[in-house]
Amino acid sequence: MRVEIWSDIACPWCYVGKARFEKALAAFEHRDGVEVVHRSFELDPGRAKDDVQPVLTMLTAKYGMSEAQAQAGEDNLGAQAAAEGLDYRTRGRDHGSTFDMHRLLHLAKEHGRQEVLLDALYRGNFAEERSVFDDDERLVELAVAAGLAEDAVRTVLSDPTAYADEVRADEREAAQLGATGVPFFVLDRTYGVSGAQPAEVFAQALTQAWGERPPLKLVDAGDGTAEACGPDGCAVPQN
């Protein structure tokens, strides 16, 4: 079974939701039969690379709330994250474009390091002091620590077209599936789970999706003549 997760590094509920989903997945009896694929989704597509501002400034401008309301929301998110064993800085974070991070995640996917890099980017954005938005060197540092070659990382960052099509394709697909926000989880292209649901909801979705997978339909000539190998060896033609 395949689970696809659309998310954005700037999304705090994606950070929390990933931890909740992983808690459910770790307890799922068919865990080894589940493939997890991470997909790109920008909450602020088209944002200029150099447009970086404090989180509170972004929240007050975007949602028309007071700074006190925005800070209260951050404090609540910090508590939600802590309940999942995650560190979360409720003061001093900033916000910016995540496009380059998504491009690097596609590079990481090619090398089997996507999950490691995604976790590093989440920690960098939500738990650590140094910004992931205002300095490419920070992204290079995180990507190399996640196991990517420095030259490859720098090549991607220096070419804004590298993996851009892959990011945009993920975002178009999310729109086609009806995703208007993230995190958005799709199980075997049959079930969707929107938002950072409790682990129990993810567990229920995994169980239901696994149980309702259609049985495999075999297509053959119908006469039993096709040769095959099995546990007892291979059939050897007699003439």
Side-chain angles (χ1 to χ4, degrees), residues 61-90:
K62 187 172 184 177
Y63 299 107
M65 59 177 65
S66 69
E67 185 169 318
Q69 289 173 318
Q71 186 59 66
E74 282 292 285
D75 291 340
N76 175 58
L77 279 163
Q80 298 268 1
E84 304 303 329
L86 301 172
D87 292 328
Y88 190 101
R89 293 178 63 232
T90 60

Side-chain angles (χ1 to χ4, degrees), residues 142-166:
L142 291 172
V144 170
L148 297 179
E150 181 175 340
D151 288 348
V153 173
R154 292 189 182 279
T155 296
V156 170
L157 290 175
S158 66
D159 177 7
T161 68
Y163 297 100
D165 289 345
E166 288 81 351

